[in-house]
């Protein structure tokens, strides 16, 4: 499981520093009050990961220790925590979809975002006689194919 999610750059909001309580409230809302989660920190020699956090306050404390720089929180919470990530990932609570569109080259990231918008806008579903009609578009080919599935 890729560690992503909250990229902790919430210390500044509209040119003003957010308070500790405001940041903790943001973390709590973003994480949907579901814990535990994995905390990770990008270091010069790679990632330090697999740190368990059980609350928004604990997440805040870890992030502030690293000055909110290159800190990450897992996208998903876990039903059961296990020290080995390979085992832990099987208990992830999948409650959202994540589209990771960043890239070193912003032009490429923008093109990928445009492709995603095209795919999502071409997928039009209409209910008619208990059937769903839509178009599927491959991100790679850009070609659309009509599909029909009975419900």
């Amino acid at each position: 499981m890729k560690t992503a999610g909250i990229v902790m750059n919430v210390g500044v909001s509209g040119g003003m520093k957010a308070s500790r309580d405001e940041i903790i409230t943001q973390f709590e809302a973003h994480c949907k009050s579901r814990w535990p989660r994995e905390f990770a920190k990008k270091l010069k020699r790679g990632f330090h990961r697999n740190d368990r956090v059980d609350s928004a306050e604990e997440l805040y404390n870890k992030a502030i220790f690293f000055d909110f720089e290159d800190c990450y929180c897992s996208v998903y919470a876990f039903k059961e925590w296990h020290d080995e990530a390979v085992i832990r990932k099987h208990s992830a609570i999948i409650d959202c979809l994540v589209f990771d569109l960043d890239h070193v080259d912003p032009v490429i990231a923008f093109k990928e975002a445009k492709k995603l918008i095209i795919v999502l806008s071409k997928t039009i579903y209409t209910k008619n006689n208990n059937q769903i009609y839509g178009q599927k578009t491959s991100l790679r080919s850009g070609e659309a194919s009509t599909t029909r599935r009975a419900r």
Side-chain angles (χ1 to χ4, degrees), residues 33-118:
S33 300
R34 291 191 173 167
W35 309 97
R37 290 182 183 261
E38 180 183 354
F39 176 85
K41 166 71 175 133
K42 186 176 181 182
L43 304 170
K44 289 180 182 178
R45 65 182 190 281
F47 266 93
H48 169 75
R49 59 180 78 225
N50 298 327
D51 279 351
R52 177 182 175 149
V53 289
D54 290 303
S55 68
E57 186 170 346
E58 190 176 345
L59 181 57
Y60 174 83
N61 290 337
K62 285 188 178 285
I64 200 156
F65 180 79
F66 294 109
D67 295 324
F68 290 92
E69 289 184 25
D70 290 325
C71 295
Y72 300 85
C73 182
S74 59
V75 172
Y76 307 118
F78 300 94
K79 293 177 201 163
E80 296 178 32
W81 184 267
H82 195 281
D83 288 336
E84 291 186 40
V86 174
I87 297 170
R88 179 175 58 246
K89 71 179 181 180
H90 296 293
S91 74
I93 301 168
I94 311 296
D95 59 355
C96 63
L97 294 175
V98 178
F99 300 103
D100 188 1
L101 301 172
D102 59 345
H103 194 279
V104 176
D105 182 349
V107 173
I108 293 173
F110 183 69
K111 285 180 181 179
E112 292 298 315
K114 283 175 39 178
K115 287 180 190 177
L116 179 62
I117 291 168
I118 290 167

